[in-house]
């Protein structure tokens, strides 16, 4: 198996960490976990990875909501670790509120971090993937991008948009050995989901046919498959992984 360099944006969060572990388990891969500049838990996170035996996991600071910052980060990865072969556009935030109460700041923050980030980072790795004739790009969309969610006009718009981005880009690079796909998780057991108001979360879990949240490792397993050699014929797809919550 060829060793690859993988970049996971928002790589130190709940789903991001599971993706890093899974991609780093493949022999020889180097995995770079992006985090915000000055992220307070970066060193502790790296120590935890070392303690788990992942010597091939690195950190890269960069604000993926910002084009220049993303470019500088990719430049550092190129020179210090290697050209990015696998990009997981995973960074995401929530600022839930009904549209009636949503501030322009909460709208813009979510669109910048969850959608514009895909442009900001992909733009800096794509040409090199195409020149080398191999690449895998996986975007984290969401069940709430597919079906909409009360209180998430910003998030649902960004998550639907990120798959539109994948479908358009997949067509542009289909002859270059680069695949572009999305995955749409349902509700995953991460701090982000645990931060939903208790009564609201209980109602959400009651509405999941499988009766439980997803384990982040289940999402990471699907992403690892999409980045593999054998997934080379899948492009422009959006794969749902939601415990039966929404079937399309
Ligand atoms: N559909 C229809 N009506 C709803 C509703 C729903 N899903 N949820 C709430 N309502 C109703 C309530 O019953 C209430 O009605 P009344 O005024 O008649 O009592 C009214 O709308 C207001 O509801 P809230 O009390 O919840 O309003 P709030 O302003 O206090 O809170 C909110 C709004 C912050 C958006 C809150 O409802 C909330 O947190 N909702 C969950 C949003 C959610 O699912 N976020 C997912 C985060 S995780 C994630 O995004 C990851 C992923 O990809 C899945």
């Amino acid at each position: 198996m060829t060793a690859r360099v993988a970049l996971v944006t928002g790589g130190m969060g709940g789903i991001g960490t599971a993706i890093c572990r899974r991609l780093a388990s493949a022999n020889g891969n180097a995995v770079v976990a992006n985090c915000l500049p000055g992220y307070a838990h970066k060193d502790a996170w790296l120590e935890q990875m070392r303690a788990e035996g992942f010597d091939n996991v690195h950190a890269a600071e960069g604000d993926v909501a910002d084009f220049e910052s993303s470019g500088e980060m990719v430049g550092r990865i190129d020179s210090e670790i290697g050209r990015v072969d696998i990009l997981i556009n995973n960074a995401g935030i929530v600022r839930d509120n009904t549209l009636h109460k949503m501030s322009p700041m909460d709208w813009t923050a979510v669109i910048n971090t969850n959608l514009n980030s895909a442009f900001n980072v992909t733009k800096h790795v794509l040409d090199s993937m195409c020149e080398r004739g191999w690449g895998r790009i996986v975007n984290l969309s969401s069940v709430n991008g597919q079906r909409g969610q009360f209180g998430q006009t910003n998030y649902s718009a960004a998550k639907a948009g990120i798959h539109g981005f994948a479908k358009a880009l997949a067509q542009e690079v289909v002859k270059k050995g680069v695949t572009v796909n999305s995955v749409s998780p349902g509700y995953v057991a991460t701090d982000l989901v645990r931060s939903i108001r208790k009564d609201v979360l209980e109602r959400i879990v009651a509405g999941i046919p499988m009766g439980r949240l997803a384990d982040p490792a289940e999402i990471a397993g699907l992403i690892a498959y999409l980045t593999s050699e054998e997934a080379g014929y899948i492009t422009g797809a959006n794969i749902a992984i939601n415990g039966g919550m929404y079937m399309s």
Side-chain angles (χ1 to χ4, degrees):
M1 191 192 288
T2 318
R4 308 285 188 193
V5 175
L7 168 60
V8 183
T9 70
M12 299 184 189
I15 297 178
T17 299
I19 299 169
C20 288
R21 283 195 181 106
R22 185 61 201 258
L23 295 182
S25 300
N27 259 351
N29 274 359
V31 176
V32 185
N34 151 257
C35 64
L36 272 171
Y39 179 60
H41 304 296
K42 183 183 89 176
D43 292 340
W45 187 89
L46 274 174
E47 265 174 44
Q48 176 63 33
M49 289 296 113
R50 298 284 173 271
E52 292 177 22
F54 296 117
D55 295 328
N56 52 344
V57 174
H58 311 266
E61 294 187 10
D63 181 358
V64 297
D66 181 88
F67 185 72
E68 304 301 330
S69 177
S70 301
E72 284 163 18
M73 173 183 71
V74 172
R76 288 195 304 276
I77 296 168
D78 282 350
S79 58
E80 290 167 20
I81 295 158
R83 294 299 180 96
V84 174
D85 305 293
I86 296 169
L87 169 63
I88 315 298
N89 284 314
N90 165 71
I93 58 170
V94 291
R95 295 282 186 277
D96 292 353
N97 229 330
T98 54
L99 186 73
H100 174 68
K101 293 191 218 162
M102 187 176 290
S103 68
M105 237 163 57
D106 286 347
W107 171 266
T108 305
V110 168
I111 298 297
N112 280 342
T113 303
N114 298 16
L115 177 59
N116 291 341
S117 58
F119 173 82
N120 293 340
V121 183
T122 306
K123 179 86 176 152
H124 294 289
V125 302
L126 187 71
D127 287 353
S128 163
M129 285 180 182
C130 291
E131 278 158 23
R132 288 173 293 130
W134 198 94
R136 296 281 185 268
I137 299 172
V138 181
N139 296 334
L140 271 287
S141 184
S142 165
V143 66
N144 292 345
Q146 296 179 297
R147 60 167 201 168
Q149 166 62 40
F150 181 101
Q152 288 202 306
T153 48
N154 50 3
Y155 188 90
S156 297
K159 292 298 186 179
I162 207 169
H163 185 55
F165 172 88
K167 288 189 287 187
L169 184 60
Q171 294 177 34
E172 294 179 15
V173 297
V174 72
K175 296 258 172 52
K176 306 283 187 187
V178 179
T179 65
V180 191
N181 293 291
S182 302
V183 299
S184 282
Y187 285 73
V188 185
T190 61
D191 289 345
L192 187 143
V193 166
R194 289 192 204 99
S195 72
I196 299 173
R197 217 174 65 207
K198 195 165 172 285
D199 60 311
V200 175
L201 184 57
E202 279 169 6
R203 246 185 296 140
I204 288 168
V205 174
I208 301 172
M210 237 171 244
R212 66 171 178 88
L213 299 174
D215 186 322
E218 293 174 307
I219 312 302
L222 172 60
I223 290 170
Y225 173 68
L226 288 172
T227 63
S228 69
E229 295 298 330
E230 63 185 328
Y233 203 60
I234 304 176
T235 199
N238 184 10
I239 303 187
I241 174 161
N242 61 31
M245 230 181 153
Y246 180 79
M247 303 182 186
S248 59

